[in-house]
Amino acid sequence: MSSPAITLDIQDSVAWLTLARPDKRNSVDPAFALRLHELAERCAADPEIRCVVLTGSGKFFCVGGDIDAFSAAGDDAEAAVGALARSFHAGIYRLATMEKPLVTAINGPAAGAGLSLAIMGDIALAADSAHFTSAYSAVGLTPDGGASWWLPRLIGTRRAQEMLFTNRRIGAEEAVSIGLVTRVVPDDTLHVEASAVAKALAKGPVRALARCRALLMESANAGLHDQLDREAASIAKSAGAVEGQEGVAAFLAKRSPHFV
């Protein structure tokens, strides 16, 4: 039996999803895409999981689609790549919309679909050795994994155009300066830093964080009036929920809140 393309390890209410094809630089093939969707659904549904971390194994985070698989499809490439993209996108969408926070711990280079996976974290931590490349147009392809949605929102249309059209490599420090990732940490402390962030989020008001995720997603295409209505409904619901009541009580009592 072959090893899974992505492994799952649950520690202290945090689910660690580790891309586990280091010999293929964690590239995306059909088994990878199916596994991503399977684990995303499990993480979203399991009430014991309060935060998810996505990271890679080996020296790379993820270099994108498995080009060998694309080539092997031959004349069936259009159908094969379309099926792979739709399968991959099912996992992407679930991770992006689940009601718990996502941390990406980017342990090395991220390109193509790997870029999409890297930048979708609510908190995106990049190791010093990480760098980011669109890579699609270099092989005559176009973005997948949500890159064309995330990039303009994170770094602006002009920078997104440059990344997609020229495939210029963005180093870790530049990635922070333009808003592509949250911060850079030394390679040898990435796991420790990601763990600390994830544990703190897992101890936080996860339902309120889920509503924050939803508001940010909706704001991309919402008018101000509609977004204000959404915010009013969301804060009202949060205030009436256990987390909101605990947060207010803890504030008034001058103690730390207990959200778990």
Side-chain angles (χ1 to χ4, degrees):
M1 184 176 179
S2 60
S3 300
I6 306 171
T7 62
L8 169 64
D9 183 28
I10 303 173
Q11 304 173 14
D12 300 318
S13 300
V14 176
W16 286 78
L17 303 183
T18 303
L19 311 183
R21 301 185 76 211
D23 57 321
K24 295 290 187 179
R25 298 182 295 177
N26 298 321
S27 58
V28 180
D29 69 354
F32 179 114
L34 286 171
R35 180 70 170 166
L36 181 70
H37 188 200
E38 171 196 337
L39 293 180
E41 292 288 358
R42 177 173 173 183
C43 289
D46 188 342
E48 298 302 315
I49 294 173
R50 295 176 58 84
C51 183
V52 178
V53 180
L54 180 66
T55 191
S57 59
K59 296 181 178 180
F60 292 83
F61 177 71
C62 173
V63 297
D66 189 333
I67 300 300
D68 290 338
F70 291 5
S71 177
D75 293 340
D76 295 326
E78 182 174 349
V81 174
L84 174 58
R86 285 185 284 273
S87 176
F88 179 54
H89 289 174
I92 289 277
Y93 187 78
R94 199 70 189 95
L95 289 175
T97 59
M98 64 183 176
E99 295 186 337
K100 50 199 73 177
L102 174 67
V103 177
T104 50
I106 310 152
N107 58 296
L115 170 66
S116 300
L117 286 170
I119 64 178
M120 69 184 294
D122 300 301
I123 305 294
L125 304 178
D128 281 324
S129 62
H131 55 73
F132 305 86
T133 316
S134 166
Y136 293 102
S137 63
V139 291
L141 300 176
T142 56
D144 67 347
S148 63
W149 195 90
W150 287 111
L151 284 173
R153 288 162 175 79
L154 292 172
I155 64 175
T157 299
R158 282 298 181 213
R159 289 192 176 108
Q161 288 169 321
E162 182 189 25
M163 284 194 71
L164 292 177
F165 291 11
T166 72
N167 302 301
R168 183 171 73 83
R169 178 182 291 185
I170 307 295
E173 292 293 345
E174 182 181 359
V176 172
S177 71
I178 65 176
L180 194 63
V181 299
T182 308
R183 58 187 170 93
V184 179
V185 299
D187 283 54
D188 58 358
T189 64
L190 177 64
H191 188 280
V192 172
E193 292 280 351
S195 180
V197 169
K199 286 179 181 178
L201 291 172
K203 291 178 181 178
V206 171
R207 299 284 73 77
L209 296 179
R211 295 187 186 103
C212 289
R213 291 191 103 204
L215 285 169
L216 289 169
M217 281 282 191
E218 292 160 352
S219 72
N221 299 306
L224 177 58
H225 187 274
D226 289 342
Q227 191 66 8
L228 288 172
D229 282 347
R230 289 191 182 103
E231 287 188 348
S234 181
I235 195 170
K237 190 170 185 178
S238 297
V242 172
E243 288 179 346
Q245 293 172 356
E246 165 61 11
V248 170
F251 178 83
L252 292 175
K254 297 182 179 181
R255 60 173 175 80
S256 297
H258 181 71
F259 291 120
V260 179

